Amino acid sequence: IDGARGDLVAMLPEAWQFTTDPHDEGIIFRWFKPEHDSGNWRSINVTCVWEPQGLEDDMGHGYDGMGWYRTEADVPADFAGRAIKLNFGGVFGRMLIWVNGHFVAYQPFERPYYAQRYCQNFDIDVTEAATPGTKNTIIIRVDNEIEWGGIYRRVFLWSPVR
């Protein structure tokens, strides 16, 4: 937090657009493309798993399956030529990550869940897909099978010290 390891590029919002994908259609219909119409997606807070945000049934069982998150971030032009990392504080589930429609990473989540780094922050290098000087679209698909699911800690973009 003192800037010794790098510079904050953008603190991403707490509320992102979100939709479930119970039939696994998102990749087929290219929900990862910036031009995809996400107008019917709802807002969800990325500092809390998705279950207490309306994705539990009457018995308290959480949604198991795919969920798609979408947000935008301004990347200042002065980060051109620098590495840019997308940092996640915590995620329950496997992730596919796109920036500006370009696939950048797969983040596994294997069982047993308690042996995973779900509660540790981690970086994804998005340098090749991020465009400094413009608004960038970030789309995440989380595939969850274990009751609690989704992004549950703040997400941000940062650039390591050169």
Side-chain angles (χ1 to χ4, degrees):
I1 60 173
D2 65 0
R5 293 187 55 209
D7 299 309
L8 181 66
V9 174
M11 182 60 74
L12 301 184
E14 286 185 46
W16 293 30
Q17 291 179 295
F18 177 82
T19 193
T20 58
D21 188 6
H23 306 294
D24 197 12
E25 301 172 327
I27 292 181
I28 295 167
F29 291 110
R30 299 178 181 263
W31 294 357
F32 54 86
K33 291 292 191 181
E35 61 271 10
H36 173 73
D37 181 11
S38 59
N40 61 344
W41 293 20
R42 68 184 190 98
S43 180
I44 196 166
N45 189 320
V46 295
T47 62
C48 180
V49 292
W50 57 45
E51 282 77 8
Q53 299 184 73
L55 290 173
E56 284 182 320
D57 64 20
D58 292 338
M59 297 297 293
H61 299 290
Y63 170 72
D64 295 334
M66 265 69 75
W68 288 75
Y69 293 83
R70 178 188 178 110
T71 195
E72 293 180 332
D74 288 317
V75 175
D78 57 341
F79 285 98
R82 293 186 60 185
I84 298 175
K85 310 281 186 177
L86 182 62
N87 182 275
F88 292 89
V91 180
F92 276 113
R94 290 181 291 276
M95 296 186 347
L96 298 174
I97 303 157
W98 291 266
V99 175
N100 297 324
H102 301 282
F103 178 74
V104 294
Y106 165 73
Q107 179 69 30
F109 186 88
E110 303 302 330
R111 291 187 181 236
Y113 76 90
Y114 56 82
Q116 299 302 309
R117 61 182 194 169
Y118 68 92
C119 62
Q120 299 173 350
N121 72 327
F122 58 91
D123 292 326
I124 301 295
D125 189 337
V126 298
T127 306
E128 296 300 317
T131 307
T134 65
K135 189 173 290 291
N136 288 254
T137 303
I138 300 167
I139 300 175
I140 314 293
R141 184 186 87 157
V142 176
D143 180 5
N144 175 60
E145 304 172 338
I146 58 166
E147 290 295 318
W148 292 100
I151 302 169
Y152 68 92
R153 288 193 182 134
R154 204 65 191 266
V155 183
F156 62 90
L157 292 166
W158 72 287
S159 182
V161 172
R162 297 184 214 212

